[in-house]
Amino acid sequence: MTDKPLRWGIMGTGGIAGAFAEDLKLTDSGVVAAVGSRTAESAGAFAEQRGIPTRHGSYEALANDPDVDIVYVATPHPLHHGNARLALEAGKPVLVEKPFTMNAEEARDLVALARERDLFLMEAMWTRFLPHIRHVRELLPSLGDVVTVTADHGQWFAEDPAFRLFAPGLGGGALLDLGIYPVSFASMVLGAPDRVAAMVTPAFTGVDAQTSMLFGYASGAQAVLSCTLSAVSPTTASIVGTDARIEIDGPFYAPASFTLIPREGERSRFEYLDEGRGLRHQADEVARLLAAGETESALMSLDETVAIMTTMDRVLTAVE
């Protein structure tokens, strides 16, 4: 942890931006120094509500603010690439909300720019940094050969064509917003799949309302994943191995408890409680990495982020 708190600049004033700002108050690794929006009114309202000292009426002004150490891109999905590029070109380290970009081509472009400028860049897949997920990763060798990974993420949303999840122009659909969690979870355990099959039910606006995915791997393992905008699902996850399995309570992607169940013997229960939404853990990790002079995270590497976006692209092209 740094002696001096990291000064965050938040791009965007939506729900996830607000959640991040609130969770940052639970840690001593960083503070929100500024917020930027497309309008001064939106930035001002966000800043007033949260006691943020500086507000900017454009993304460019935030990116060039000398009192901002790192930019957190929390704008709608289609803006991620352009906004992250803006911050990198201004010489700022960047944390980009998931999904990292709209597709793998955009992801590769950002990664190339960050590496060319020797700047820190990371996808804000905050699940990777939660205490229970770190523990799950430590237990993976005890499962034997992983045979199956399952994960789902379903939420119910009223059918409103103006709401971002139903709006094609705002990167709507279940896959990008909700499906990224199961896909990233499977990637964490099994890496990139060799085979991808998918089925989609469209929403009334044409975006995907429900997507089911089946991934196949060279090892013989499979991942069975799903996401939907139409109903609240269990939002649980499991990793099934030849010697044991792990079952993670819902919602698996947020602070959660889990059970280790061996093929023979007693099961073990691991309870995890967390203050806030759980976003503070990624903020702490970013502060630690920057203090150490690192430009990438081993827990959420840029190569894996590109691989995940490539898999998301493959899902859309594999739709029956």
Side-chain angles (χ1 to χ4, degrees), residues 175 179 182-183 197-199 211-215 223-227 312 315:
L175 180 63
V183 172
M199 183 175 292
T211 298
S212 295
M213 298 160 273
L214 179 62
F215 296 168
V224 183
L225 316 170
S226 64
C227 57
M312 300 278 274
V315 168

Side-chain angles (χ1 to χ4, degrees), residues 227-275:
C227 57
T228 180
L229 304 175
S230 306
V232 179
S233 70
T235 320
T236 56
S238 67
I239 306 169
V240 182
T242 51
D243 295 331
R245 74 179 187 271
I246 290 173
E247 296 181 353
I248 307 176
D249 299 348
F252 76 89
Y253 60 85
S257 299
F258 69 91
T259 306
L260 174 66
I261 305 170
R263 179 161 39 85
E264 298 177 352
E266 296 295 321
R267 62 180 59 198
S268 300
R269 179 70 174 169
F270 300 96
E271 301 284 351
Y272 280 94
L273 298 174
D274 208 347
E275 188 179 4

